[in-house]
Amino acid sequence: MRGYAICTERRSGSIFLCRLLRSTGVLGLPNEYFDANTIRNGRGGLPDYPADPEGQIAQIPVVGATPNGVYGLKLFSHEFDLTKSTRWTERLPGLSFIYLERHDLLGQALSHVRAQQTQQWVSFNAPQAEPVYDGARINEVLALLARAQARWRYYFARNGIPVLHLVYEQVMRAPQETVEAVGRLVGLSETPKVDLDQLGELTIQRDALSDAWRARFIAESRDLGIFL
């Protein structure tokens, strides 16, 4: 058995990536298996999924695998913080690492703040509230995302971990090449094929409001004399 962990942050295109990998039928069923609420009530559909990390570690190679024995999971840095005492990275069988980031960090922060306000984390869910521009919160999330990216990079570098580096913008442009790279990572003998029909109604949520928030934030925050 072998598998992979997609290490990333929210609004990086991770849901799209997971759906691409799932659609192949041979690259696992990646999901947020360290988030019991998501697996029980959200995208997992497993109401009896364990809430404790030890139970989750036991379940990941089972519920996260395709019939060929390849499993996948996705996690954010705060989930690593909550589970690191289990040393799951050393216990999951045949584990490889994928690092997914978004080059447009400000766009990621804008998307994160908007999704938090509306609770519309995917395009096919209805918004629960109207988004309201909040420059202070955007700045806070922007800094948090920058630090989280640095933490992942430091973790891989300090441990000398070989990692498949994926970028959201490139994944969107080349989905087939992306799944082939993951196939090579886990030593798949066959060439995985994306089935776009299985992606459902998932679409890009970025729109004119996103552009307006970006322009306003830069206009209000731009100061070349500040370096944090």
Side-chain angles (χ1 to χ4, degrees), residues 26-78:
V26 293
L27 285 174
L29 304 172
N31 210 330
E32 290 178 61
Y33 292 116
F34 284 126
D35 182 346
N37 184 60
T38 292
I39 303 304
R40 289 176 175 179
N41 307 313
R43 293 182 295 274
L46 299 173
D48 298 323
Y49 189 76
D52 64 291
E54 288 293 336
Q56 292 165 351
I57 291 170
Q59 284 294 301
I60 288 170
V62 179
V63 300
T66 36
N68 61 342
V70 175
Y71 68 90
L73 70 146
K74 175 182 81 171
L75 76 157
F76 307 123
S77 55
H78 73 273

Side-chain angles (χ1 to χ4, degrees), residues 72-137:
L73 70 146
K74 175 182 81 171
L75 76 157
F76 307 123
S77 55
H78 73 273
E79 292 169 335
F80 195 113
D81 291 333
L82 293 172
T83 58
K84 61 185 178 183
S85 63
T86 66
R87 304 189 73 86
W88 61 269
T89 56
E90 298 165 318
R91 296 168 58 190
L92 287 174
L95 183 66
S96 298
F97 292 87
I98 298 170
Y99 174 52
L100 173 67
E101 68 175 353
R102 184 170 171 174
H103 275 167
D104 182 8
L105 195 61
L106 177 54
Q108 187 174 353
L110 294 169
S111 178
H112 190 285
V113 171
R114 185 171 175 179
Q116 279 188 323
Q117 291 180 352
T118 64
Q119 289 301 297
Q120 189 184 29
W121 295 98
V122 287
S123 56
F124 50 80
N125 286 348
Q128 303 301 306
E130 289 296 320
V132 178
Y133 178 83
D134 185 343
R137 179 58 181 160

Side-chain angles (χ1 to χ4, degrees), residues 141-174:
V141 171
L142 181 61
L144 288 171
L145 289 172
R147 284 195 291 270
Q149 285 188 355
R151 291 185 71 197
W152 283 123
R153 289 175 177 271
Y154 171 72
Y155 177 76
F156 297 134
R158 178 174 57 82
N159 289 291
I161 298 174
V163 59
L164 174 61
H165 183 192
L166 298 178
V167 177
Y168 161 72
E169 290 85 351
Q170 295 172 352
V171 172
M172 292 294 294
R173 287 193 295 267

